[in-house]
Amino acid sequence: MERKPKAKRISRRKFLSTGAGVAVGAVTGASLLKSGAMAASHAPVIPATRRTPAAAMGGLKQFPGVTVNSIFVSGEHDDTLLRERIGDVKNQLGINLTVSDLGAGAMHDKIAEGLRSGHSPYDVSTIVGFWLAEMVGPGNFEPLEPYLKNPELTPADFDFADFVPKHLDYISYWNLQEHRNGRPGQLFLLPGPHSDAHMVVYRKDLFDKYNISAPPKTWDEYVQVAKKLHHPADGIYGTAFVAANDPSISLSEWGNRYVSMGGKFYSGSLRDKTVVPHLDSPESVAAIENMVELLDYSPPGVTSYALTNVADAMSAGKIGIMMIWVTIGGRAWAPSLSKVADKVAAAVPPGNGVTIRGGWGMGIPKDVKNKEAAWAVIRYYSTKEADKARVMNYGTAAVRTSTFKDPDVVKAYPYYPTFGKLLENATPYPSIPFPESWELVMEPSKSWNLAMAKQLKPKEACQQAQAAAQEILKKGGWSKSA
Amino acid sequence: MKTAHPLDQIVTYAVLVGILVLVATPFIFMVLTSLKTNLDTLEVPPNLHIFNWETIKSNYTEVLRGRSFVAYTRNSVVIVFGSTLIAMLLGTPAAYGFSRFSFRGSSDLAFWILSNRFMPIIAVVIPISRMMAALGTLDTYQGLIIPYVALEIPLVVWIMRAFFDDISNEIDEAAMADGCGRWGALARVILPLAAPGLVTTAIFSAIFTWNEFLLGLFIVTTAASQTVPVGAAGLLTMDRAIEWNVTATVGVVTIVPVLVFSLLVQRHIVRGLTAGAVK
Amino acid sequence: MATERAATTGVPPRVASRFWRHLDNNPWVFVLPVTVYLLALSIYPLVYSFVLSLKEYHVDTRSFSWVGLGNYAAIFQNPEFYTVFRNTAIFTVATVAIELVLGMALALFMTRRMVGKSLLRTVLIIPMMTTPMVVGLMWRFLFSTDFGIIDYLLRILFRIPPVNWLGSTPFSLISLIITDIWQWTPFAFLILYAGLQTVPDELLEAARVDGARAVQVFRHIIVPLLLPMITVVILFRGMDSFRAFDTVYTLTFGGPGRTSGTLSFLAYLEGFAYSHLGLASAMSYVMVAVIILGVTVYRFAVMQRIVR
């Protein structure tokens, strides 16, 4: 089958079409570039003459022309306030600030690779409790006390003592010799942008309707309450919780039940390498059994529920009670995000009042070139005013005691007094001292999820989780003499 | 050409509509979700509160301005366009070479080229990003274009070779008999005939690099060079409360340049195909 | 022309023209650029990742220690590896086979005369070009038992009891397969359709009109003509399905347990979540070995049959 090549005519046509394509591409590219340049820039251009002179700043050191890159986790509004104030940072400190946000997983990977290769991409790196042992523990971060005490870098009214003491012990201090967080130790991170703990959120109106007098005090009562609230025919399920193969099934569900029942995650000392895990203890089995019982009073899809689905279920008015992080649970009170904003109330979770705490700290990797400029940004974002603004404007969780006591905050967020109480007693997730802390969260999550999917009995799931934990600790060298 | 049976026509259009529905429904759904408030997205069956201009404006402003998606799109367009162009320039002659010549080791070489795509990206992300760091191209367009060309070359070579294989050798020989030379035959005669293949290959090359995430995450840091998938990842984190309407808006915003691109390219596909259909 | 060149360079015309003609007709000139480019970019990563697979990384001391084949041994002694391998195999075979068949059916369908072809082609590109994370979240919402439209329609239209698409075995793996088919069948379609353009109309007419001979026309004429295209679809979709990660991460997170986990997901967990860099690298090499095996089998079983 012959095709006569119409050589000359086609090649001209091809040239024209290719040319047209390139031209269109160039025009599109140029217009995107222009609008991109306009939309992407947040900082208004401030002429040098209008920059406030250093004297008016109370003698704080300036960093004209220095660029500082910062990173925050997405979805928490940690970065929103700072993004808005990029111009102000330039005004007050001369710094060109960039604010990025990523999901926790991607953020972890990028920061970790930066620390390994010695080229940290972010001068201001936010760290969550789980990464402390892995990132701060090996001595990758710059001790902050010298910067805190330097009057050129930190004004006198900074009021370091105003930070919630337990949060400082959780995230800010790390003891390099004893492999643990808390004081006595060195200051590596400033608390922020938010703290966290777990609280129970319940529907006051449904409690009245079904004659439930008070929030449950024990986990067995929690099941009873869920049962009373469970009316699927009317579109209301008792409760929802994270039953998916998701880290939060360990962090929030099993974790809270376990510590509130008095369970111990491990015994022994890290320094002496005599650690023994206790994931098959009676409390652990009780925790999983409690969760399995709740399956009957939860929506049918609950084994695929992550934190967002639990929060959605409450906001959509589908469940009567839930236990969740304060920062996420708070959304139930926001009229723009929740159908039941005026019907919810907060309570301390069942058990001994101990819940899992969370939250972040901001620090400076040691390989950063301009550490003082990085400190300036961290300090700027950690003032009393900044903490309150974060909470008032974006509903984040406070890190300063003064913010908790502020009447405006209490008025806007009715659950804040409960939150303050929770924060006093909350404990970090027990695997935090280990560099393998995240693995110690995720491997048991697999077993808990299999128990929720009824593919394992609670006791079997605990044994599987215990075996996994033993393996991890042995490989890490923490159980040598056990 | 026989005239089509009326029943035949009906079946044809029914199937056409069916396919369109199956493919497009998730998107229609996504567009509708992007027009709602967060509360409305949680209703089952879905409601149609999609006509509130304030809501729409707020969703889209948050994504486009508050989250620099215009910048991300600009970056992605430049990076994908650049890497696809270079990969096509390098790979098309290679595909032609594999198609027309059978030289010793050609089959092995072709498979070696393919094998560059075997390695899961997670294994090579770190060494590649360190190579780009050594070249000083971290956080720049080139830093991503260079590795993306390497990712696209196997695709270009293999797809274009398939297209060249379907064009008879006799055409080359006729062109060369007219005094063209090999490269001349390729440029003036074979390429125009392979136009649908060129377009298809370019589309696929672009698609694979448009969606690439891991290298983008590690090589680029600031919004000045960040690509769309990395920018979108920030919004798509399961461990906090997702705002589905904003997520849907992100989805819509990332599709629009794709739509524009494919609409532009449609005309080329049609023109190329009708040219090739002259028998 | 050759004589002019010779006049300036001083080389005799017959030698000069033979040289350029030789260069013009030399296959290596065509393939050298890509070969050099790929070599330059692949040597360091390959060596680095291979050496890494023989070591293990210690987070607290930021150092590497030599473990030889220890990582590989650990992989094969891990029962979870076999579960995940089986999932990945099922996923790959199911997606590639279904996408190939659907793509071919779509391509054949599109050879009919009808209005709206370019609309269909535009719409079909969109699933492939959507950011995988967005696809994952979109389908997560759609598949949601309590908030999603799919289960709602199944309940209302067919009175099927609620199915836990994302959180139960085996539906979690099925959801992943459905999502992949939705996203990548257009790939098979576009390639096969472009290939069909080169098949003469008369053959396609015969296939459509004369039902009895259609299958034979298809088997003996169309398939052999399209074999290069089919090969591309099988090889590229096979490679990519085997390494599937994004949808697993967003839709099911490998759950329940690891019953919908794929090899790439496992490697990601070990390498990035747990910082077992050496183990993740070793896993990647095991995956590469399997892919090489698959491609080689395909190469010798199928491709040698093509008469050149």
Side-chain angles (χ1 to χ4, degrees), chain C residues 12-296:
Chain C
R14 266 181 41 225
V15 176
S17 76
R18 236 188 310 141
F19 174 73
W20 287 112
R21 236 186 306 131
H22 184 75
L23 215 56
D24 178 73
N25 220 18
N26 186 324
W28 285 98
V29 177
F30 287 90
V31 304
L32 209 57
V34 296
T35 311
V36 168
Y37 194 98
L38 287 176
L39 260 178
L41 265 127
S42 63
I43 292 187
Y44 175 64
L46 278 177
V47 171
Y48 180 95
S49 54
F50 185 68
V51 172
L52 186 59
S53 77
L54 304 173
K55 297 186 181 176
E56 196 42 88
Y57 181 65
H58 302 282
V59 167
D60 45 347
T61 52
R62 286 198 295 177
S63 63
F64 290 92
S65 63
W66 188 260
V67 293
L69 293 175
N71 287 325
Y72 292 97
I75 292 174
F76 289 111
Q77 285 165 358
N78 180 3
E80 200 171 84
F81 171 75
Y82 296 98
T83 311
V84 170
F85 187 88
R86 196 197 57 204
N87 295 339
T88 313
I90 295 176
F91 179 81
T92 306
V93 170
T95 51
V96 175
I98 297 179
E99 284 163 22
L100 188 62
V101 166
L102 280 182
M104 181 65 95
L106 268 174
L108 286 172
F109 175 72
M110 287 283 274
T111 58
R112 297 185 178 209
R113 302 192 71 205
M114 67 179 105
V115 178
K117 274 193 199 181
S118 34
L119 172 68
L120 189 63
R121 268 199 305 269
T122 311
V123 170
L124 280 174
I125 294 185
I126 301 181
M128 287 188 292
M129 279 198 91
T130 314
T131 310
M133 292 268 166
V134 173
V135 171
L137 280 186
M138 211 161 61
W139 279 92
R140 193 189 169 108
F141 202 59
L142 289 172
F143 271 124
S144 162
T145 313
D146 307 309
F147 294 102
I149 196 85
I150 294 178
D151 208 63
Y152 177 75
L153 287 175
L154 285 178
R155 269 178 283 152
I156 299 292
L157 293 178
F158 301 107
R159 302 205 167 275
I160 298 178
V163 175
N164 192 342
W165 290 98
L166 301 173
S168 67
T169 318
F171 288 102
S172 48
L173 193 60
I174 293 178
S175 316
L176 290 177
I177 293 176
I178 294 178
T179 309
D180 194 86
I181 291 175
W182 175 85
Q183 200 181 7
W184 291 107
T185 301
F187 176 80
F189 159 71
L190 281 172
I191 297 220
L192 293 171
Y193 182 62
L196 270 181
Q197 297 306 299
T198 65
V199 174
D201 276 339
E202 303 88 61
L203 284 177
L204 296 174
E205 275 296 314
R208 239 200 320 282
V209 167
D210 196 349
R213 280 172 37 214
V215 178
Q216 286 165 315
V217 168
F218 183 71
R219 261 182 61 200
H220 297 296
I221 302 184
I222 294 185
V223 169
L225 267 179
L226 283 186
L227 204 51
M229 313 295 179
I230 295 178
T231 299
V232 165
V233 171
I234 292 182
L235 287 179
F236 279 90
R237 280 314 307 151
M239 275 197 298
D240 287 346
S241 268
F242 192 72
R243 297 174 305 168
F245 171 74
D246 299 291
T247 34
V248 181
Y249 187 81
T250 43
L251 271 173
T252 62
F253 213 73
R258 296 269 184 266
T259 55
S260 67
T262 57
L263 287 168
S264 275
F265 181 72
L266 207 60
Y268 169 82
L269 274 185
E270 294 287 350
F272 284 119
Y274 304 162
S275 293
H276 296 158
L277 298 174
L279 187 62
S281 209
M283 267 187 197
S284 303
Y285 268 93
V286 171
M287 289 173 70
V288 168
V290 174
I291 294 179
I292 291 180
L293 189 67
V295 170
T296 312

